[in-house]
Amino acid sequence: MTELPVDQVRTLLAVVDEGTFDAAAAALHVTPSAVSQRIKTLEQRIGRVLLMRTKPVRPTASGQVVVRFARQLAALDQDAQRELGITGESGPARLSIAVNADSLATWFLPALTRVPRMSEVCFELYREDETQTAELLREGRVMAAVTSSPAAVTGCLVRPLGLARYLPAASPDFVDRHRTGPLRRWLPGAPVIVFDQHDELQDRFVRSLARADAARHRHSVPTSEGFRDAVAAGLGWGLVPEPQARPLLESGALVELDPGRHWDVPLYWQQWKLDVRALSLVADTITSAAAEALHPLPS
C-alpha cells in the first residue's frame, strides 16, 4: 500500500460522523451499497477492520488513525482553498476543540473572543473532563484540546498553559453542621459534590489529609455553574474553581475549609501538528490568555 484513496478515507469519516452507512450515503449523495463497498475496499487495502458495525458505528483503534487523517486532510484542503481565494464552498475554518467544563465556565470563552475577527473561524466545542479530553484527540474527533496530560498524543504537539486553582469550600451552615474537630477527621465523612464519575479532585484532596476517600454520600452535578451553586446551597463541600469561589467567599456565601490551602491542576494545550493558519492563530491566542488567567506552572 503506497497511499490511502481520498474518496474511501472521506467515506469512512462520513460514516463515523453520521453514525450509520445509510446516513453517510445521504450526506455523500451516493447509495448505501457504494458506501459499504468503499469501506470494505479500504479495510482490505489496509488489512485491518476499521469500523465496529454497531449503532452508531464506532471506529476501531486502526479506524481512529484513519479518521484523524481524514480530518487533518479536510482541514488542510480547506486552508488551501482559503489561501487560493476559493472560499465559496469551503466557508470559515471549523475548529473542533475539547475543553473541560471549568475552563469553559471561567477563562476559555473570553479567550476565544480575542481571536481576530478577520480570521473567519467557527468553533465546535466539546465539553469533557480534562483527564479525558486527550482521548478525543486520539479518536480524531477534535483538532485540539485543553488537557491535564503533558504527554503528547501521537501526531500532536503540546504547549503548557498554567495551573487551574481550586479552593476547598462549603457554605457556613454546612460547616456548622458537620465540623467536629480537625478537618482531616470530619471531612472524609461529610457529603460531597462531584462533577461526574470522572471527577477525582475531591477524593485526591481528602487523601492528602487522611488515608481515605471522600464520602460515599455524593451529589453529582455535571455543570461548572451548577457545581458551584450546589456547594453554596449547602448540599455538600467541593473544590470550587478560584475565579468562581472568590466572589462567594467575599460575600460570605462560602467559607474556605482550610484557609490558604488549595488544589492545583496543570493544564496543557494539545493540537494536531498541522500547518493550518487558523489553528495556529487560535493556539497562540489561547496560550496568551491562559498566561493571564491561570497560575504559572512550576519551572
Side-chain angles (χ1 to χ4, degrees):
M1 183 186 68
T2 57
E3 62 180 23
L4 297 176
V6 173
D7 62 332
Q8 295 172 12
V9 167
R10 287 176 171 167
T11 299
L12 179 73
L13 178 60
V15 173
V16 171
D17 283 347
E18 299 297 329
T20 67
F21 281 59
D22 287 346
L28 295 172
H29 305 292
V30 297
T31 65
S33 61
V35 169
S36 180
Q37 184 58 46
R38 289 179 188 177
I39 299 300
K40 182 179 179 180
T41 302
L42 183 60
E43 289 181 325
Q44 290 175 340
R45 185 180 186 87
I46 295 176
R48 299 181 185 181
V49 175
L50 301 176
L51 292 177
M52 290 181 280
R53 269 66 169 179
T54 55
K55 289 189 177 181
V57 299
R58 294 173 55 198
T60 63
S62 296
Q64 290 175 7
V65 175
V66 180
V67 166
R68 186 166 63 244
F69 168 69
R71 292 199 195 283
Q72 293 173 344
L73 186 65
L76 290 171
D77 179 66
Q78 194 177 45
D79 197 52
Q81 288 190 47
R82 279 190 298 275
E83 288 193 28
L84 292 170
I86 311 172
T87 58
E89 294 183 3
S90 62
R94 297 194 63 85
L95 299 184
S96 52
I97 304 172
V99 58
N100 60 306
D102 291 334
S103 292
L104 197 59
T106 53
W107 64 273
F108 193 81
L109 289 180
L112 292 185
T113 66
R114 299 186 183 186
V115 177
R117 296 293 188 270
M118 71 285 294
S119 57
E120 295 186 346
V121 179
C122 290
F123 300 107
E124 184 177 3
L125 302 182
Y126 291 74
R127 188 189 67 186
E128 188 57 87
D129 186 85
E130 65 273 7
T131 63
Q132 304 297 315
T133 50
E135 186 60 30
L136 299 186
L137 275 172
R138 292 188 187 92
E139 295 173 359
R141 293 174 59 188
V142 299
M143 302 170 69
V146 175
T147 174
S148 61
S149 174
V153 172
T154 302
C156 294
L157 56 84
V158 181
R159 295 190 190 188
L161 293 178
L163 295 172
R165 179 155 295 175
Y166 292 80
L167 303 180
S171 70
D173 178 65
F174 180 88
V175 173
D176 289 341
R177 284 186 283 117
H178 293 279
R179 180 168 51 193
T180 54
L183 184 66
R184 59 184 172 80
R185 291 185 180 177
W186 67 267
L187 193 63
V192 63
I193 310 296
V194 297
F195 189 83
D196 57 21
Q197 69 272 23
H198 300 300
D199 183 6
E200 297 181 351
L201 287 184
Q202 283 66 219
D203 288 323
R204 292 173 184 169
F205 180 75
V206 171
R207 285 197 293 268
S208 73
L209 299 173
R211 294 181 179 179
D213 286 337
R216 293 183 179 180
H217 187 169
R218 301 176 179 226
H219 301 288
S220 180
V221 185
T223 69
S224 187
E225 297 84 355
F227 184 103
R228 172 202 61 198
D229 293 344
V231 174
L235 286 176
W237 70 275
L239 286 161
V240 182
E242 185 178 41
Q244 294 179 327
R246 287 300 180 196
L248 297 177
L249 291 170
E250 293 171 3
S251 70
L254 287 179
V255 294
E256 291 188 71
L257 298 179
D258 191 356
R261 191 182 184 96
H262 55 261
W263 193 265
D264 289 339
V265 175
L267 296 178
Y268 303 86
W269 173 264
Q270 292 209 36
Q271 69 175 64
W272 292 346
K273 292 180 181 177
L274 287 184
D275 187 17
V276 173
R277 180 178 179 276
L279 183 58
S280 297
L281 181 62
V282 170
D284 290 342
T285 304
I286 293 298
T287 303
S288 175
E292 300 174 15
L294 303 176
H295 292 268
L297 284 160
S299 56

